[in-house]
């Protein structure tokens, strides 16, 4: 049986049918077919988009195969056991990154901000390597199997060169397919949002809120130092040898995944994306329970995430 390859045209045709049947409906659905429990393979960060438990209820892995390399491994989109980045301070990091300057929150000029803001640190750049929409989600340094490995790709800014490199990966995939990104510009034909947004097709969930971009003025500040001796903020009660600080809720002196943390990569403890989020998911109520929504370390029901740091 030959492999069914979904082309952009075929999927757009489905989209048109569903536009017709759902006349007037805007596709701003954000619900997911993933279970959001057990492990990262059951979350939206499984970019193979194939459910390990039940391939028949797989969230459309094959349907997406024309738009990113399906490496068939969950971790490899972010990590590799060998040949990882030697410059990004993140565990065995396998993603390429582009050089650019982010517009940081302080440029908004609010009168209340007291702390120093720098460019996002490594524990934000990891997330932004997909969520700023400038790099294809499958753009990695070390591809699985006998596929490509090229550390020179790590800081490659030229999309053409990166796509040529990614296109070399097999079997039978990559060369003729697209390598799409989470670009908020929905008219970019290389953006997942060309389908997954209110401007896209009704059949596909909207990822509009996930496309953070390089302008961070409208996002909670990151790369910002955490105040000490400021009555508006709670005091951390845990720290690591490197000088990271955390709220040690269970008192085990370990920075657990469900504990909000401040990363020290040289400027003292700072808020970064991973202060609030764990990209692998964190159980909401112990082993086996559903993960907190949106990969949060702490549930934000009753604003409890916010109140971990802020005294309000
Ligand atoms: C040509 C249109 C199109 C493009 C481009 C596209 N998708 Fe999809 N995608 C779809 C359709 C249609 C579905 C099925 C919708 C559903 O499951 O209800 C889908 C489903 C998905 C799902 C399952 C949704 C869920 O959470 O249950 C994910 C995840 C996904 N796509 C990710 C991506 C990513 C990442 C990209 C870019 C690399 C991308 N898609 C590009 C049309 C598209
Ligand atoms: C979507 C990207 C992504 C995927 C996929 C991913 N990780 Fe991670 N992982 C990260 C990031 C980002 C960090 C660093 C988090 C931080 O800044 O503290 C990390 C950190 C880790 C760490 C260090 C300890 C910790 O939890 O922070 C381990 C171990 C790890 N990942 C293992 C895995 C394994 C195993 C898989 C596959 C089953 C996987 N990861 C899939 C992004 C990912
Ligand atoms: C390898 C690329 C990649 C990396 C790295 C990555 N993400 Fe994502 N993330 C995605 C994609 C693509 C989606 C959209 C859904 C999908 O296609 O599965 C997504 C979805 C999300 C969502 C929405 C989840 C939901 O269930 O609605 C959140 C929140 C998120 N990411 C946060 C983060 C944070 C925080 C980090 C860093 C710690 C991060 N991501 C790192 C690719 C990535
Ligand atoms: C201070 C805590 C905090 C920090 C820092 C933070 N986030 Fe979030 N993030 C949240 C909360 C809370 C939500 C859930 C918002 C909601 O449900 O409406 C969220 C939601 C998201 C979503 C889902 C879309 C949405 O708006 O609901 C994405 C994607 C995301 N964050 C990515 C990031 C990235 C990338 C960074 C770093 C640039 C980051 N976050 C930094 C707290 C944070
Ligand atoms: C990890 C700790 C932490 C968490 C969690 C956190 N914040 Fe913050 N927040 C900070 C720090 C640090 C600042 C910078 C304070 C300053 O400069 O005075 C800040 C600043 C702010 C500001 C003020 C920005 C300004 O212009 O003065 C607002 C509003 C804010 N946070 C809201 C929230 C909300 C809402 C949440 C929950 C979704 C949240 N924060 C979660 C640490 C955190």
């Amino acid at each position: 049986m030959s492999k069914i390859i979904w082309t952009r045209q075929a999927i757009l045709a489905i989209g048109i049918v569903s536009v017709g049947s759902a006349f007037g409906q805007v596709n701003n659905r954000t619900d997911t077919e993933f279970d959001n429990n057990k492990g990262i393979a059951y979350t939206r960060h499984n970019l193979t988009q194939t459910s390990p438990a039940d391939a028949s209820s797989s969230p459309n892995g094959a349907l997406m195969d024309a738009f990113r390399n399906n490496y068939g491994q969950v971790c490899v989109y972010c990590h590799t056991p060998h040949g990882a980045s030697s410059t990004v301070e993140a565990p065995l990091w396998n993603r390429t990154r582009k050089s650019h300057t982010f517009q940081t929150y302080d440029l908004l000029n609010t009168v209340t901000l007291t702390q120093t803001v720098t460019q996002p640190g490594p524990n934000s750049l990891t997330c932004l390597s997909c969520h700023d929409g400038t790099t294809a989600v499958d753009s990695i340094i070390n591809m699985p199997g006998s596929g490509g490995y090229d550390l020179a790709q790590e800081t490659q800014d030229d999309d053409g060169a990166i796509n040529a490199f990614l296109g070399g990966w097999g079997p039978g995939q990559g060369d003729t397919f697209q390598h799409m990104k989470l670009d908020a510009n929905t008219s970019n034909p290389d953006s997942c949002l060309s389908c997954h947004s209110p401007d896209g097709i009704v059949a596909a969930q909207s990822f509009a809120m996930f496309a953070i971009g390089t302008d961070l003025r409208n996002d909670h500040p990151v790369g910002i130092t955490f105040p000490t001796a400021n009555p508006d903020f709670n005091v951390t009660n845990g720290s690591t040898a490197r000088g990271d600080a955390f709220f040690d809720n269970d008192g085990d002196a370990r920075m657990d995944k469900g504990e909000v943390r401040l990363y020290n990569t040289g400027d003292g403890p700072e808020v970064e994306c991973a202060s609030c989020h764990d990209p692998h998911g964190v159980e909401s109520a112990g082993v086996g329970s559903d993960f907190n929504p949106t990969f949060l370390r702490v549930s934000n029901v009753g604003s409890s995430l916010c109140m971990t740091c802020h005294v309000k």
Side-chain angles (χ1 to χ4, degrees), residues 70-83:
N70 184 349
Y71 296 122
Q73 297 179 12
V74 179
C75 315
V76 79
Y77 292 89
C78 295
H79 306 286
T80 178
H82 304 286

Side-chain angles (χ1 to χ4, degrees), residues 46-51 60-62 65 68 70-74 77:
N46 176 350
L47 297 175
T48 72
Q49 280 130 20
T50 306
S51 167
N60 301 296
D65 279 356
R68 49 100 186 87
N70 184 349
Y71 296 122
Q73 297 179 12
V74 179
Y77 292 89

